[in-house]
């Protein structure tokens, strides 16, 4: 990738996220946690590039990313190679609080669930951006996506703050600019390639969590 290491580290690039999510799935459709975390690092750059509007989500995401990195680098890191192996290990060893938040608030399963929910919101929002007209209202697109996903997991005060934040979002062109891809047509094309990958990772995770009754972890 062209450019200095510093600029690559600091600037969001949609191509980077696309490349990372391409690496997320194994041949038998297991989700590699390392690449999932890397993909989220890119999405945090996207949120941060739009100013403080999404701060309430990006700060939480950064915290959750660090917890998962700690698991990956910990003494049981070999159990956290994939989301599937993580769920199996934590469930078999009683490391997940299934009914109330107690002794394992930083379990991998609980932590990833928070990122999983936010990923759905971003997926819905980016899809609306991709298919909208040039004068489409990003505030409406973002609010609709939020209401269909994250809102149901947030208390009233956060939902209210989010609604206010979305009202001051920049236009579609500004979103396309921060993606550092090129023309609007190129952005739309790359989103068309990236979103099915993100969606597949989301769906596989959703099905795994549903299978083990993990979708409502406190």
């Amino acid at each position: 990738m062209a450019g200095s290491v510093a600029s690559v580290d600091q600037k969001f690039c949609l191509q980077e996220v696309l490349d990372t999510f391409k690496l997320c799935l194994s041949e038998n459709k297991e989700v590699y946690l390392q690449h999932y975390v890397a993909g989220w690092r890119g999405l945090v750059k996207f949120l941060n590039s739009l100013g403080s509007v999404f701060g309430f989500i990006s700060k939480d995401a950064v915290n959750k990313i660090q917890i998962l990195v700690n698991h990956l680098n910990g003494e049981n890191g070999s159990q956290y190679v994939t989301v599937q192996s993580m769920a199996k290990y934590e469930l078999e060893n009683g490391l997940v609080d299934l009914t109330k938040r107690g002794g394992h608030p930083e379990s991998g399963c609980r932590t990833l669930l928070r990122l999983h929910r936010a990923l759905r919101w971003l997926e819905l929002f980016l899809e609306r951006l991709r298919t909208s007209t040039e004068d489409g209202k990003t505030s409406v697109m973002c609010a609709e996506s939020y209401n269909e996903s994250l809102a149901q997991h947030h208390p009233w005060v956060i939902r209210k703050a989010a609604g206010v934040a979305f009202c001051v979002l920049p236009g579609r062109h500004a979103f396309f600019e921060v993606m550092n891809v090129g023309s609007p047509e190129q952005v739309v094309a790359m989103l068309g390639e990236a979103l099915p990958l993100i969606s597949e990772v989301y769906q596989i995770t959703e099905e795994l969590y549903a299978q083990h009754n993990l979708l409502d972890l406190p």
Side-chain angles (χ1 to χ4, degrees), residues 115-133:
L115 291 174
H116 174 70
R117 291 168 176 171
L119 187 67
R120 178 61 173 163
W121 162 64
L122 278 172
E123 179 199 337
L124 291 170
F125 180 41
L126 290 172
E127 178 61 20
R128 280 179 165 90
L129 276 177
R130 185 184 75 84
T131 58
S132 65
T133 58

Side-chain angles (χ1 to χ4, degrees), residues 13 41 47 49-50 57 63 72 83 115 117 132 146 184 192 213:
C13 178
R41 281 204 179 102
L47 296 173
S49 69
L50 294 159
I57 292 174
N63 176 47
L72 280 164
V83 174
L115 291 174
R117 291 168 176 171
S132 65
Y146 177 74
N213 298 313

